[in-house]
Amino acid sequence: FFSLCLTMPSRTTTWTAVCVLVVMAYNTLALPSLTGPWAENKPYDSFQSFYPFYQSEHQNHVSRVLHVIGPSIGMLQLLHSDLRHLLAIATAGSVGFVMCHLMRGLPNGFLEFGIVGLTFLVMVKHLTGKMKAAYITIFLGYFFAWVGHFFFEKNKPASFIYPSYSLAGDYFMIFRVLTKQEPL
């Protein structure tokens, strides 16, 4: 990652580094909500407290398989098209983890999703211009996951309320499945 950063234009690398550092420090920061008091339907104030809820929403085997397949294929095709997309992913993810705190007064995650998605798309456009790869990644990740929720779990995706935590949950679950810490 760091050697990749050295090959990037300095403004892009600086922006990504700032975003990643903010996320690394966000647990120690008391970020204010820009949207008023905490929404009643958003009880989780950290990814650590959210993940057990995420696991409870992903009990169906077929749904879990779909959650591994879609995001994995999307991420692999994105990185295959250009490794510089790692910077877009890091920046958008960092923005998401900050936004989930700043937007915690909203009853849903649509604005957070929009800001994170737009950050990702702008970064891909700026870094490589390979927008088709970015759109395919977003489509594959959400299509497979939402088929799992609507047809197998029969529940509403957590991404409607916690888009950043939910996406992080997908990749954390994939990591835990691949390292045999969690069953598929």
Side-chain angles (χ1 to χ4, degrees), residues 43-85:
Y44 308 108
D45 63 351
S46 70
F47 180 73
Q48 291 80 11
S49 64
F50 171 80
Y51 193 69
F53 168 73
Y54 176 92
Q55 289 176 305
S56 74
E57 296 290 300
H58 299 86
Q59 296 295 311
N60 181 282
H61 176 72
V62 174
S63 177
R64 289 175 66 84
V65 168
L66 291 170
H67 274 75
V68 168
I69 290 172
S72 296
I73 292 173
M75 182 67 72
L76 289 173
Q77 75 82 31
L78 182 71
L79 294 178
H80 176 73
S81 71
D82 198 313
L83 279 178
R84 291 177 293 175
H85 289 139

Side-chain angles (χ1 to χ4, degrees), residues 8-9 20 38 48 58 66 70 73 75 91 98 107 145 151-152 166 168 178:
M8 296 304 303
V20 170
W38 206 284
Q48 291 80 11
H58 299 86
L66 291 170
I73 292 173
M75 182 67 72
T91 303
V98 171
F151 297 105
F152 296 98
S166 181
L178 292 175

Side-chain angles (χ1 to χ4, degrees), residues 108-161:
N108 60 55
F110 298 133
L111 182 59
E112 178 187 332
F113 177 83
I115 291 169
V116 171
L118 186 60
T119 300
F120 173 68
L121 293 173
V122 166
M123 288 297 293
V124 168
K125 176 75 172 166
H126 174 71
L127 292 169
T128 66
K130 296 180 179 180
M131 299 308 293
K132 183 178 177 183
Y135 293 127
I136 290 171
T137 296
I138 293 169
F139 173 78
L140 286 173
Y142 283 103
F143 176 77
F144 280 86
W146 288 359
V147 165
H149 281 289
F150 293 128
F151 297 105
F152 296 98
E153 293 285 354
K154 308 229 187 290
N155 62 17
K156 187 168 78 170
S159 58
F160 291 172
I161 307 249

